[in-house]
Amino acid sequence: MNLQDFRTRADVFLVGGIQEKFIEMTTKYNEGNYGDAVAMAKTLVESTCAYVYHAVTNKEIEEDKGHVQVTGNYTIGMYAAVRETLRLFAAQLPNFEQTEKIATTTCDLVQSIADLRNSAAAAHGGRKRSIPPAKLEALLAIEISEDLAATLLLMLHKYQYPDDFNVIGSLIDKTDDMESYVDVNDSGRYVVDSPQFNIGYTVIRSIIQSVDYEVKKLPVNQNVDAEHIKDIVMDYLPKDAKFEGMESDQMYKFYSEVHDTHYSAIFTDLNPGMILRISSFDETLYNA
């Protein structure tokens, strides 16, 4: 296994703190430090729970659901963190009566990771020499942690975009007129093609990363049709997104306060026709 083997999952963990834990976990595994890798697998789950819980409730999970230590700091165990985070999304589970069983089973899997991690040298010191997990044991812990973390993030996406369909950042809503060019992880492209238009959705694990909107034959004047172009872009952005201005002659810039995300639309004149490439971008990196 190497870092590229999980490139699809790495793209899901775009949140800085979570992505950092994912990379460190995978690096430790590749270096043969399986005890450290298992420890980081647990940390990946904990970090994901903390991020998701705060995104939904605007509260720190340790303070809201944890307990105070003698030092005065708040803490919460991984088992409790997963349980409380899953409860936020109980309504998303189609078999509601099975919600508690699903949560319990998931927490049992996570607790197994913790038990495996606690036998590793990376977890804690002790008088006796501990036996670190084997390569396959570490891989099992990593796989479970990645799947659980990715699932929680996907639940968060669905929660944050309840009324938005097929916009940047939302889950793809597959329609009958879409042609599918995706892999088993639902990563790739969905395309809607007609004589007048071609719309391509680039997705990673079902989450829309960018949209290419092509007008094939109709002439488009960027100045005359400026408002129409903005309206097209807005159809693929969250409902609260607003036009902020032109970053360049070809780049339209938008911002969503709800998601604290900047979006760009790059205009290409095909004469006749046009292509708009719509995606999110990091304002900090762009201005660096």
Side-chain angles (χ1 to χ4, degrees):
M1 183 182 91
N2 55 50
L3 196 58
Q4 283 68 40
D5 290 334
F6 290 104
R7 58 188 178 277
T8 300
R9 292 178 183 175
D11 288 332
V12 174
F13 304 134
L14 295 177
V15 181
I18 300 175
Q19 188 179 56
E20 180 183 78
K21 303 299 187 300
F22 169 83
I23 293 174
E24 188 171 350
M25 174 187 69
T26 311
T27 301
K28 293 295 184 183
Y29 181 92
N30 291 336
E31 293 174 347
N33 296 328
Y34 303 128
D36 288 354
V38 173
M40 290 309 302
K42 176 177 181 289
T43 303
L44 174 67
V45 173
E46 293 170 337
S47 297
T48 303
C49 289
Y51 171 78
V52 171
Y53 193 89
H54 186 272
V56 174
T57 67
N58 203 32
K59 297 177 181 178
E60 303 297 338
I61 192 170
E62 298 92 341
E63 297 179 7
D64 195 38
K65 297 296 182 180
H67 61 275
V68 182
Q69 297 175 304
V70 293
T71 59
N73 296 323
Y74 287 88
T75 185
I76 187 171
M78 181 177 62
Y79 193 103
V82 171
R83 184 179 63 247
E84 296 297 339
T85 305
L86 282 174
R87 283 178 177 175
L88 297 174
F89 306 109
Q92 291 186 19
L93 300 174
N95 301 305
F96 188 75
E97 294 180 357
Q98 301 298 318
T99 298
E100 289 300 323
K101 290 183 180 179
I102 293 172
T104 301
T105 301
T106 304
C107 288
D108 285 342
L109 290 173
V110 176
Q111 188 60 52
S112 297
I113 298 174
D115 293 341
L116 180 61
R117 181 248 184 182
N118 287 338
S119 68
H124 54 263
R127 183 176 60 82
K128 295 182 179 180
R129 179 178 178 271
S130 58
I131 302 174
K135 181 177 182 179
L136 290 179
E137 291 173 326
L139 181 60
L140 175 63
I142 288 174
E143 290 278 7
I144 294 172
S145 295
E146 287 177 343
D147 287 342
L148 178 57
T151 299
L152 290 172
L153 289 173
L154 290 174
M155 286 182 176
L156 176 62
H157 272 280
K158 188 172 182 180
Y159 175 88
Q160 288 182 321
Y161 295 84
D163 301 318
D164 293 313
F165 296 95
N166 292 342
V167 300
I168 304 298
S170 75
L171 295 171
I172 187 76
D173 182 28
K174 302 160 192 173
T175 58
D176 293 339
D177 56 350
M178 284 184 179
E179 292 291 334
S180 173
Y181 304 93
V182 297
D183 59 20
V184 294
N185 294 311
D186 205 16
S187 299
R189 282 175 65 83
Y190 287 92
V191 177
V192 178
D193 193 37
S194 72
Q196 292 80 30
F197 305 97
N198 182 284
I199 305 170
Y201 301 86
T202 299
V203 299
I204 295 176
R205 288 181 72 95
S206 302
I207 298 175
I208 299 175
Q209 307 295 315
S210 64
V211 176
D212 293 330
Y213 186 99
E214 178 185 356
V215 177
K216 293 183 178 180
K217 299 178 180 179
L218 297 176
V220 179
N221 184 296
Q222 194 176 357
N223 295 320
V224 175
D225 300 315
E227 292 304 315
H228 179 57
I229 292 172
K230 294 175 195 174
D231 288 341
I232 292 174
V233 177
M234 292 292 290
D235 287 341
Y236 300 97
L237 300 181
K239 292 184 184 299
D240 75 304
K242 292 181 173 57
F243 176 65
E244 283 202 321
M246 300 295 294
E247 190 69 30
S248 66
D249 290 343
Q250 284 75 40
M251 179 177 172
Y252 299 76
K253 191 166 74 170
F254 300 78
Y255 177 71
S256 165
E257 185 173 355
V258 170
H259 302 285
D260 189 22
T261 301
H262 293 270
Y263 305 89
S264 67
I266 308 297
F267 175 90
T268 301
D269 190 353
L270 299 181
N271 191 29
M274 69 167 184
I275 294 178
L276 286 169
R277 175 156 293 178
I278 308 163
S279 62
S280 62
F281 71 97
D282 190 323
E283 176 81 355
T284 304
L285 294 177
Y286 189 84
N287 292 328

